[in-house]
Amino acid sequence: MAMSTTSPNSLLLKNPNRHLINPPTKTSFPIKTQINSFPINNSSGPKKPISIACAASPQVQDRASAADAGSERVFNFAAGPAILPENVLRRAESELYNWRGSGMSVMEMSHRGKEFRFIIEKAESDLRTLLNISSDYAVLFLQGGATTQFAAVPLNLCTPSDAVDFVVTGSWGDKAFKEAVKYCKPNVIWSGKSEKYTKVPSFDGLEQNPDAKYLHICANETIHGVEFKDYPMPRNRAGLLVADMSSNFCSKPVDVTKFGLIYAGAQKNVGPSGVTIVIVRKDLIGNAQEITPVMLDYKIHADNNSLYNTPPCFGIYMCGLVFEDLLAQGGLVEIEKKNIKKGQMLYNAIDESKGFYRCPVEKSVRSLMNVPFTLEKSELEEEFVKEAAKEKMLQLKGHRSVGGIRASIYNAMPLAGVEKLVAFMKDFQARHG
């Protein structure tokens, strides 16, 4: 899909208010009505608006137009780091050199300065709106990926002698269990490993431990393409459900009140790698084990509004742009409709191929984010990936642990990308079937 030859900066000039956001009431400085007139403190004189250099530079506009005219965006089906919305990337491009007249890039700002405080507060506010997160929950922007949370969760919620129940529907759930062994007494009450992780168990049949501290699930298994369409009711006395939502975070509405804690790496659906989001009920904070490192203690981060140390500033900024974009599309109800349409299109192509393509996952729990499939003639899978790459569809090779093909179709994957993949699949079958 060829990109527009109009430069992002010229788009901003045509409609300077297109990307504006309303500042939260807590912000300590005004936001003017034009993107290129954000005021900063000037110790040597009165405050003056500073124009964004790239928006006024014809040389930069010419280079951007030339680059756009001579290149194409590919359809990136990677599982993560994954595709980001094109308009978000262009927005970030337009603000990269000089964020709203501040004279700085977001990458250069002090994380304790008023400019970045505005960015992180706006990101949190928009995420709370998207998921209807109440004030009973803290929202933390952390580092270390979801893998770090495999340790942080039991360290914060458990004593070393506490039992924890795990439902393991794929590789990530298994890894979370193995890490938890170091910090509590976890027990796998159900595993799909013997069936190659192709299903989710019946919740009625789960034999949960009433003394377990919490029940842990991975809401969407990125590698195996298994997604919870509903969530089990925890039968532990505290009623705590904990979920790794890394690869379907913000892909659909979620009732946050069903969970004690949700964690997610950003690099699938809401931003670049480097940011991990934790949504944790506030009454669960403050009881970390004594061995818990400072950087894994939720109370430290909650008390400091995710600013205890230098956070992944640019990544948080990008997440904020994505949250704003999701809201502009109508929120997660509308996002889910789009994801369902894309998923149905791709799964129908697989199911209607008369066995040429096969998805191993039970139909009722097929992921709308990560679609794994194999070819009847496995020797053709390498050729499939190579030919798709020539058509500018990349990262379709399955995870190294399972092989086959995997198409990740996160929020930012446009319908046109799935349509092109389906057309290619039908053509490939016609030529090789």
Side-chain angles (χ1 to χ4, degrees):
M1 181 178 68
M3 288 166 55
S4 168
T5 56
T6 305
S7 79
N9 300 310
S10 63
L11 287 174
L12 285 173
L13 290 173
K14 290 178 182 178
N15 187 357
N17 294 319
R18 185 168 74 94
H19 291 319
L20 290 181
I21 54 181
N22 295 320
T25 56
K26 292 182 180 180
T27 187
S28 59
F29 53 89
I31 299 293
K32 295 294 185 181
T33 56
Q34 291 187 353
I35 196 168
N36 63 350
S37 59
F38 177 83
I40 63 170
N41 289 327
N42 187 337
S43 58
S44 61
K47 294 180 180 179
K48 295 181 180 180
I50 295 181
S51 299
I52 296 178
C54 62
S57 169
Q59 292 89 352
V60 173
Q61 290 183 34
D62 290 345
R63 287 198 299 273
S65 298
D68 286 352
S71 65
E72 285 188 356
R73 288 277 291 173
V74 300
F75 287 119
N76 177 11
F77 291 93
I83 186 172
L84 285 164
E86 184 174 334
N87 61 316
V88 167
L89 293 173
R90 289 186 176 277
R91 168 85 176 273
E93 179 185 34
S94 72
E95 296 181 339
L96 180 65
Y97 180 67
N98 186 343
W99 184 79
R100 302 181 194 179
S102 66
M104 298 176 286
S105 169
V106 174
M107 292 184 285
E108 302 170 300
M109 291 176 180
S110 166
H111 62 293
R112 306 200 186 281
K114 62 186 179 183
E115 295 88 357
F116 185 72
R117 289 187 69 89
F118 167 73
I119 289 170
I120 194 170
E121 288 174 7
K122 182 64 164 61
E124 178 179 338
S125 175
D126 284 350
L127 179 58
R128 285 185 180 276
T129 301
L130 279 169
L131 286 170
N132 192 27
I133 304 170
S134 76
S135 59
D136 294 332
Y137 289 78
V139 174
L140 309 177
F141 294 96
L142 307 178
Q143 303 178 62
T147 301
T148 299
Q149 295 307 309
F150 296 166
V153 171
L155 281 168
N156 280 271
L157 303 189
C158 298
T159 67
S161 60
D162 281 336
V164 173
D165 284 345
F166 275 77
V167 174
V168 177
T169 52
S171 296
W172 294 111
D174 183 57
K175 288 181 178 180
F177 163 75
K178 290 176 179 175
E179 185 71 1
V181 169
K182 303 173 184 177
Y183 309 110
C184 61
K185 303 295 183 185
N187 181 47
V188 175
I189 62 173
W190 188 91
S191 174
K193 186 174 183 178
S194 63
E195 297 179 76
K196 298 183 178 180
Y197 297 127
T198 56
K199 61 190 296 186
V200 168
S202 167
F203 301 151
D204 293 337
L206 289 177
E207 295 185 10
Q208 299 185 45
N209 179 358
D211 294 320
K213 195 71 174 184
Y214 58 85
L215 172 64
H216 183 282
I217 63 171
C218 180
N220 185 88
E221 285 284 353
T222 319
I223 294 173
H224 296 91
V226 177
E227 182 173 16
F228 282 78
K229 303 302 180 179
D230 197 3
Y231 302 107
M233 181 70 68
R235 294 177 186 152
N236 53 74
R237 290 190 176 92
L240 289 182
L241 180 62
V242 171
D244 175 358
M245 289 192 181
S246 292
S247 53
N248 66 350
F249 189 66
C250 286
S251 69
K252 59 183 179 181
V254 170
D255 183 356
V256 173
T257 63
K258 289 185 176 182
F259 301 85
L261 189 150
I262 293 169
Y263 62 94
Q267 69 274 12
K268 315 289 188 180
N269 253 330
V270 298
S273 60
V275 182
T276 306
I277 296 167
V278 172
I279 302 169
V280 56
R281 219 171 62 200
K282 289 179 179 177
D283 64 309
L284 300 176
I285 297 174
N287 299 302
Q289 295 182 30
E290 289 185 5
I291 65 168
T292 304
V294 167
M295 287 303 294
L296 299 190
D297 189 333
Y298 295 149
K299 188 176 191 304
I300 294 291
H301 295 291
D303 288 349
N304 289 276
N305 301 307
S306 300
L307 297 171
Y308 174 73
N309 72 327
T310 307
C313 296
F314 193 80
I316 293 170
Y317 157 74
M318 290 296 294
C319 289
L321 296 187
V322 172
F323 298 151
E324 190 175 332
D325 180 62
L326 294 176
L327 287 170
Q329 292 183 59
L332 300 187
V333 171
E334 294 303 315
I335 294 300
E336 183 181 30
K337 291 177 182 177
K338 295 177 182 180
N339 287 330
I340 289 172
K341 184 175 182 179
K342 291 185 296 182
Q344 287 178 340
M345 180 180 295
L346 183 49
Y347 283 118
N348 285 342
I350 294 169
D351 294 339
E352 295 169 3
S353 70
K354 298 180 179 180
F356 187 83
Y357 303 107
R358 297 175 180 174
C359 176
V361 181
E362 188 179 277
K363 287 186 177 182
S364 63
V365 293
R366 285 176 171 178
S367 171
L368 291 180
M369 299 288 99
N370 312 102
V371 181
F373 59 95
T374 58
L375 274 65
E376 184 178 27
K377 301 175 183 177
S378 58
E379 65 273 14
L380 288 175
E381 290 174 356
E382 185 176 352
E383 183 63 24
F384 180 97
V385 173
K386 287 181 178 179
E387 289 192 22
K390 292 178 182 178
E391 297 297 324
K392 298 189 180 296
M393 292 178 287
L394 303 185
Q395 302 295 328
L396 283 164
K397 186 176 180 179
H399 190 271
R400 61 187 180 276
S401 65
V402 296
I405 310 296
R406 175 178 55 176
S408 293
I409 51 174
Y410 298 120
N411 291 349
M413 174 58 66
L415 180 63
V418 179
E419 290 174 336
K420 183 172 182 177
L421 176 59
V422 167
F424 170 78
M425 290 167 65
K426 292 178 178 178
D427 177 68
F428 188 89
Q429 180 176 358
R431 291 184 287 109
H432 297 280

